[in-house]
Coordinates of all heavy atoms in Angstrom, one line a residue:
M211 N 81.4 112.5 95.4 CA 80.1 112.0 95.6 C 79.4 112.6 96.8 O 80.0 112.8 97.8 CB 80.2 110.5 95.8 CG 78.9 109.9 96.4 SD 79.2 108.2 96.9 CE 79.1 107.4 95.3
K212 N 78.2 113.0 96.5 CA 77.4 113.6 97.6 C 76.7 112.5 98.4 O 76.1 111.6 97.9 CB 76.4 114.5 97.0 CG 76.8 116.0 97.2 CD 75.6 116.9 96.9 CE 76.1 118.3 97.0 NZ 75.0 119.3 96.6
T213 N 76.8 112.6 99.7 CA 76.1 111.6 100.6 C 75.0 112.3 101.4 O 75.3 113.4 102.0 CB 77.1 111.0 101.6 OG1 78.2 110.5 100.9 CG2 76.4 109.9 102.3
R214 N 73.8 111.8 101.3 CA 72.7 112.4 102.0 C 72.7 111.9 103.4 O 73.1 110.7 103.7 CB 71.4 112.0 101.3 CG 71.3 112.7 100.0 CD 69.9 112.4 99.4 NE 69.9 111.0 99.0 CZ 68.8 110.5 98.4 NH1 67.7 111.2 98.3 NH2 68.7 109.3 98.1
P215 N 72.3 112.7 104.4 CA 72.4 112.4 105.8 C 71.6 111.1 106.1 O 72.1 110.3 106.9 CB 71.7 113.6 106.5 CG 71.9 114.7 105.5 CD 71.9 114.1 104.1
G216 N 70.5 110.8 105.5 CA 69.7 109.6 105.8 C 70.5 108.4 105.4 O 70.5 107.4 106.1
I217 N 71.2 108.5 104.3 CA 72.0 107.3 103.8 C 73.2 107.1 104.8 O 73.5 106.0 105.2 CB 72.5 107.6 102.4 CG1 71.4 107.5 101.5 CG2 73.6 106.5 102.0 CD1 71.7 107.9 100.0
C218 N 73.8 108.1 105.2 CA 74.9 108.0 106.1 C 74.5 107.3 107.4 O 75.2 106.4 107.9 CB 75.4 109.4 106.4 SG 76.7 109.4 107.7
Q219 N 73.4 107.7 107.9 CA 72.9 107.1 109.2 C 72.5 105.7 109.1 O 72.6 104.9 110.0 CB 71.8 108.0 109.8 CG 72.4 109.3 110.4 CD 71.3 110.3 110.8 OE1 70.1 109.9 110.9 NE2 71.7 111.5 111.0
R220 N 72.0 105.4 107.9 CA 71.5 104.0 107.7 C 72.6 103.0 107.5 O 72.6 101.9 107.8 CB 70.6 103.9 106.5 CG 69.1 104.0 106.9 CD 68.3 103.4 105.8 NE 68.6 103.8 104.5 CZ 68.2 104.8 103.8 NH1 67.3 105.6 104.5 NH2 68.5 105.1 102.6
K221 N 73.7 103.5 106.9 CA 74.8 102.6 106.5 C 75.7 102.3 107.6 O 75.9 103.1 108.5 CB 75.5 103.3 105.3 CG 74.8 103.2 104.0 CD 75.7 103.6 102.9 CE 75.3 102.9 101.6 NZ 76.2 103.1 100.6
R222 N 76.3 101.2 107.4 CA 77.4 100.8 108.3 C 78.6 101.7 108.1 O 78.9 102.0 107.0 CB 77.7 99.3 108.0 CG 79.0 98.8 108.6 CD 78.6 97.9 109.8 NE 79.8 97.8 110.6 CZ 80.5 96.7 110.8 NH1 80.2 95.6 110.1 NH2 81.6 96.6 111.6
R223 N 79.2 102.0 109.2 CA 80.4 102.9 109.1 C 81.7 102.1 109.4 O 81.7 101.3 110.3 CB 80.3 104.1 110.1 CG 79.3 105.1 109.7 CD 79.2 106.2 110.7 NE 77.9 106.8 110.6 CZ 77.4 107.5 111.6 NH1 78.0 107.7 112.7 NH2 76.2 108.1 111.3
Y224 N 82.7 102.5 108.7 CA 84.0 101.8 108.9 C 85.0 102.9 109.2 O 85.0 104.0 108.6 CB 84.5 101.1 107.7 CG 83.5 100.0 107.3 CD1 82.5 100.2 106.4 CD2 83.5 98.7 107.9 CE1 81.5 99.3 106.0 CE2 82.6 97.8 107.6 CZ 81.6 98.0 106.7 OH 80.7 97.1 106.3
A225 N 85.9 102.6 110.2 CA 86.8 103.6 110.6 C 87.9 103.9 109.6 O 88.5 105.0 109.6 CB 87.4 103.2 112.0
S226 N 88.2 102.9 108.8 CA 89.2 103.1 107.8 C 88.8 102.5 106.5 O 88.0 101.6 106.4 CB 90.5 102.5 108.3 OG 90.4 101.1 108.3
R227 N 89.5 103.0 105.4 CA 89.2 102.4 104.1 C 89.6 101.0 104.0 O 88.9 100.2 103.4 CB 90.0 103.2 103.0 CG 89.8 102.7 101.6 CD 90.6 103.5 100.6 NE 90.1 104.9 100.6 CZ 89.1 105.3 99.8 NH1 88.5 104.4 99.0 NH2 88.8 106.6 99.7
E228 N 90.7 100.6 104.7 CA 91.1 99.2 104.7 C 90.1 98.3 105.3 O 89.8 97.2 104.8 CB 92.4 99.1 105.6 CG 93.6 99.6 104.9 CD 93.7 101.1 104.9 OE1 93.0 101.8 105.7 OE2 94.3 101.7 104.0
E229 N 89.5 98.7 106.4 CA 88.4 97.9 107.0 C 87.2 97.8 106.1 O 86.7 96.7 106.0 CB 88.0 98.6 108.3 CG 87.1 97.7 109.2 CD 86.6 98.5 110.4 OE1 87.3 99.5 110.8 OE2 85.6 98.0 111.0
A230 N 86.9 98.8 105.5 CA 85.7 98.8 104.6 C 86.0 97.9 103.4 O 85.1 97.1 103.0 CB 85.4 100.2 104.1
E231 N 87.2 98.0 102.9 CA 87.5 97.2 101.7 C 87.7 95.7 102.0 O 87.4 94.8 101.2 CB 88.8 97.7 101.0 CG 88.4 99.0 100.3 CD 89.6 99.6 99.6 OE1 90.8 99.2 99.9 OE2 89.4 100.5 98.7
Q232 N 88.0 95.4 103.2 CA 88.1 94.0 103.6 C 86.7 93.4 103.6 O 86.5 92.2 103.2 CB 88.7 93.9 105.0 CG 90.2 93.8 105.0 CD 90.8 93.7 106.4 OE1 90.1 93.4 107.3 NE2 92.1 94.0 106.5
V233 N 85.7 94.1 104.0 CA 84.4 93.7 104.0 C 83.9 93.6 102.5 O 83.2 92.6 102.1 CB 83.4 94.6 104.8 CG1 82.0 94.2 104.7 CG2 83.9 94.6 106.2
A234 N 84.3 94.5 101.7 CA 83.9 94.6 100.3 C 84.3 93.4 99.5 O 83.6 92.8 98.8 CB 84.4 95.9 99.7
V235 N 85.6 92.9 99.8 CA 86.1 91.8 99.0 C 85.4 90.5 99.4 O 85.4 89.6 98.6 CB 87.6 91.7 99.1 CG1 88.3 92.9 98.5 CG2 88.0 91.4 100.5
R236 N 84.9 90.4 100.6 CA 84.2 89.2 101.0 C 82.7 89.2 100.5 O 82.0 88.2 100.6 CB 84.2 89.1 102.5 CG 85.6 88.6 103.0 CD 85.5 88.2 104.5 NE 86.5 88.9 105.2 CZ 86.2 89.8 106.2 NH1 84.9 90.0 106.5 NH2 87.1 90.4 106.9
A237 N 82.2 90.3 100.1 CA 80.8 90.4 99.7 C 80.6 89.7 98.3 O 81.5 89.6 97.5 CB 80.4 91.8 99.7
D238 N 79.3 89.3 98.1 CA 79.0 88.7 96.9 C 78.9 89.6 95.7 O 79.1 89.3 94.6 CB 77.6 87.9 97.0 CG 77.8 86.8 98.0 OD1 78.9 86.2 98.1 OD2 76.7 86.4 98.6
V239 N 78.6 90.9 96.0 CA 78.5 91.9 95.0 C 79.7 92.8 95.0 O 80.4 92.9 96.0 CB 77.2 92.7 95.2 CG1 76.0 91.8 94.9 CG2 77.1 93.3 96.5
T240 N 79.8 93.5 93.9 CA 80.9 94.5 93.9 C 80.6 95.7 94.7 O 79.6 96.4 94.5 CB 81.1 94.9 92.4 OG1 81.4 93.8 91.6 CG2 82.3 95.9 92.3
L241 N 81.4 95.9 95.7 CA 81.3 97.1 96.6 C 82.5 98.0 96.5 O 83.6 97.5 96.4 CB 81.0 96.6 98.0 CG 79.8 95.8 98.3 CD1 79.8 95.2 99.7 CD2 78.5 96.7 98.0
R242 N 82.2 99.2 96.7 CA 83.3 100.2 96.7 C 83.3 100.9 98.0 O 82.2 101.3 98.5 CB 83.1 101.2 95.6 CG 83.4 100.5 94.2 CD 84.9 100.6 93.9 NE 85.3 102.0 93.9 CZ 86.6 102.4 94.0 NH1 87.5 101.5 94.1 NH2 86.9 103.7 93.9
A243 N 84.4 101.1 98.6 CA 84.5 101.9 99.8 C 84.7 103.4 99.4 O 85.4 103.7 98.5 CB 85.7 101.5 100.6
Y244 N 84.0 104.2 100.1 CA 84.2 105.7 99.9 C 84.1 106.4 101.2 O 83.5 106.0 102.1 CB 83.1 106.2 98.9 CG 81.7 106.2 99.5 CD1 81.2 107.3 100.1 CD2 80.9 105.0 99.4 CE1 79.9 107.3 100.6 CE2 79.6 105.0 99.9 CZ 79.1 106.2 100.5 OH 77.9 106.2 101.0
K245 N 84.8 107.5 101.2 CA 84.8 108.3 102.4 C 83.6 109.2 102.4 O 83.3 109.9 101.5 CB 86.1 109.2 102.5 CG 86.2 109.9 103.8 CD 87.6 110.5 104.0 CE 87.6 111.1 105.4 NZ 88.9 111.7 105.7
C246 N 83.0 109.2 103.6 CA 81.7 110.0 103.7 C 82.1 111.4 104.2 O 82.8 111.6 105.1 CB 80.8 109.3 104.7 SG 79.3 110.3 105.1
A247 N 81.6 112.4 103.5 CA 81.9 113.8 103.8 C 81.1 114.2 105.1 O 81.4 115.2 105.7 CB 81.5 114.7 102.7
L248 N 80.1 113.4 105.5 CA 79.3 113.8 106.6 C 79.9 113.3 107.9 O 80.0 114.1 108.9 CB 77.9 113.2 106.5 CG 77.1 113.9 105.3 CD1 75.8 113.1 105.1 CD2 76.7 115.3 105.7
C249 N 80.2 112.0 108.0 CA 80.7 111.5 109.2 C 82.2 111.3 109.2 O 82.9 111.1 110.3 CB 80.0 110.2 109.6 SG 80.4 108.9 108.4
G250 N 82.9 111.5 108.1 CA 84.3 111.4 108.0 C 84.8 110.0 108.0 O 86.0 109.7 108.0
Q251 N 83.9 109.0 108.1 CA 84.3 107.6 108.1 C 84.0 107.0 106.7 O 83.6 107.7 105.8 CB 83.6 106.9 109.2 CG 84.0 107.4 110.6 CD 83.5 106.5 111.7 OE1 82.3 106.5 112.0 NE2 84.4 105.7 112.2
F252 N 84.1 105.7 106.6 CA 83.9 105.1 105.3 C 82.6 104.2 105.3 O 82.2 103.6 106.2 CB 85.1 104.2 105.0 CG 86.3 105.0 104.8 CD1 87.1 105.4 105.8 CD2 86.7 105.4 103.5 CE1 88.3 106.2 105.6 CE2 87.8 106.2 103.2 CZ 88.6 106.6 104.3
H253 N 82.0 104.3 104.1 CA 80.8 103.4 103.8 C 81.1 102.6 102.6 O 82.1 102.9 101.9 CB 79.6 104.3 103.5 CG 79.2 105.2 104.6 ND1 78.8 104.7 105.9 CD2 79.0 106.5 104.7 CE1 78.5 105.8 106.6 NE2 78.6 106.9 105.9
L254 N 80.3 101.6 102.4 CA 80.4 100.8 101.2 C 79.2 101.1 100.3 O 78.1 101.3 100.8 CB 80.4 99.3 101.6 CG 81.7 98.8 102.2 CD1 81.5 97.3 102.6 CD2 82.9 99.0 101.3
T255 N 79.4 101.1 99.1 CA 78.3 101.3 98.1 C 78.4 100.3 97.0 O 79.5 99.9 96.6 CB 78.3 102.7 97.5 OG1 77.2 102.8 96.7 CG2 79.6 103.0 96.8
S256 N 77.2 99.8 96.6 CA 77.2 98.9 95.5 C 77.1 99.7 94.2 O 77.1 99.1 93.1 CB 76.0 97.9 95.6 OG 74.8 98.6 95.7
R257 N 77.0 101.0 94.3 CA 76.9 101.8 93.1 C 78.3 102.1 92.6 O 79.0 103.0 93.2 CB 76.1 103.1 93.4 CG 74.7 102.8 93.6 CD 73.9 104.1 93.5 NE 72.5 103.8 93.6 CZ 71.6 104.7 93.3 NH1 71.9 105.9 93.0 NH2 70.3 104.4 93.4
T258 N 78.7 101.5 91.6 CA 80.1 101.7 91.1 C 80.1 102.8 90.0 O 81.1 103.2 89.6 CB 80.7 100.5 90.6 OG1 79.9 99.9 89.7 CG2 80.9 99.5 91.8
K259 N 78.9 103.2 89.6 CA 78.8 104.2 88.6 C 79.4 105.5 89.0 O 79.0 106.0 90.1 CB 77.3 104.4 88.3 CG 77.0 104.4 86.8 CD 75.5 104.6 86.6 CE 75.1 104.7 85.2 NZ 73.7 104.9 85.0
G260 N 80.2 106.0 88.2 CA 80.8 107.3 88.5 C 82.1 107.2 89.3 O 82.9 108.1 89.4
L261 N 82.3 106.1 90.0 CA 83.5 106.0 90.8 C 84.6 105.5 89.9 O 85.8 105.9 90.1 CB 83.2 105.0 91.9 CG 82.2 105.4 93.0 CD1 82.0 104.3 94.0 CD2 82.7 106.7 93.7
R262 N 84.3 104.6 89.0 CA 85.3 104.2 88.0 C 84.7 104.3 86.7 O 83.5 104.5 86.5 CB 85.6 102.7 88.3 CG 86.7 102.6 89.3 CD 87.1 101.1 89.4 NE 88.0 100.9 90.6 CZ 88.4 99.7 91.0 NH1 87.9 98.6 90.4 NH2 89.1 99.6 92.1
V263 N 85.5 104.2 85.7 CA 85.0 104.3 84.3 C 85.3 103.0 83.6 O 86.3 102.7 83.1 CB 85.7 105.4 83.5 CG1 85.1 105.6 82.2 CG2 85.7 106.7 84.3
P264 N 84.3 102.0 83.8 CA 84.5 100.7 83.2 C 84.5 100.6 81.7 O 85.0 99.8 81.1 CB 83.4 99.9 83.9 CG 82.3 100.9 84.2 CD 83.1 102.2 84.4
R265 N 83.8 101.6 81.1 CA 83.7 101.5 79.6 C 83.6 103.0 79.1 O 83.0 103.8 79.8 CB 82.6 100.7 79.1 CG 81.3 101.1 79.7 CD 80.2 100.1 79.3 NE 78.9 100.5 79.9 CZ 77.8 99.9 79.7 NH1 77.7 98.9 78.9 NH2 76.7 100.3 80.3
V266 N 84.1 103.2 77.9 CA 84.1 104.5 77.4 C 83.1 104.7 76.2 O 83.1 105.7 75.6 CB 85.5 104.9 77.0 CG1 86.3 105.1 78.2 CG2 86.1 103.9 76.1
S267 N 82.4 103.6 75.9 CA 81.6 103.6 74.7 C 80.2 104.3 75.0 O 79.8 104.4 76.2 CB 81.3 102.2 74.2 OG 80.6 101.5 75.2
A268 N 79.6 104.7 74.0 CA 78.2 105.3 74.1 C 78.1 106.4 75.1 O 77.2 106.4 75.9 CB 77.2 104.2 74.5
A269 N 79.0 107.3 75.0 CA 78.9 108.5 75.9 C 77.8 109.5 75.3 O 77.9 109.9 74.2 CB 80.2 109.2 75.9
P270 N 76.8 109.7 76.1 CA 75.8 110.6 75.7 C 76.3 112.1 75.6 O 76.9 112.6 76.5 CB 74.7 110.5 76.7 CG 75.4 110.0 77.9 CD 76.6 109.2 77.5
E271 N 75.9 112.7 74.5 CA 76.4 114.1 74.3 C 75.2 115.0 74.4 O 75.2 116.0 73.6 CB 77.1 114.2 73.0 CG 78.6 113.7 73.1 CD 79.3 113.9 71.8 OE1 79.2 115.0 71.2 OE2 80.1 113.0 71.4
A272 N 74.3 114.8 75.2 CA 73.1 115.7 75.3 C 73.5 116.7 76.4 O 73.3 117.8 76.3 CB 71.9 114.9 75.7
Ligands
LIG269 ZN1 78.7 108.8 106.8

């Protein structure tokens, strides 16, 4: 995943994936922890698209 600098600076940073995921499980929405290539720490994202493959139907072949 590509992280843009603006997003990195706006987002809360976590020193470890464990710390980020602890916050994620307490949140009301589904959050995923990912390692940021810019700061080397972890952020949370509510965008789960592309991180996991929840369904395999309707794959566009364009
Ligand atoms: Zn970052």
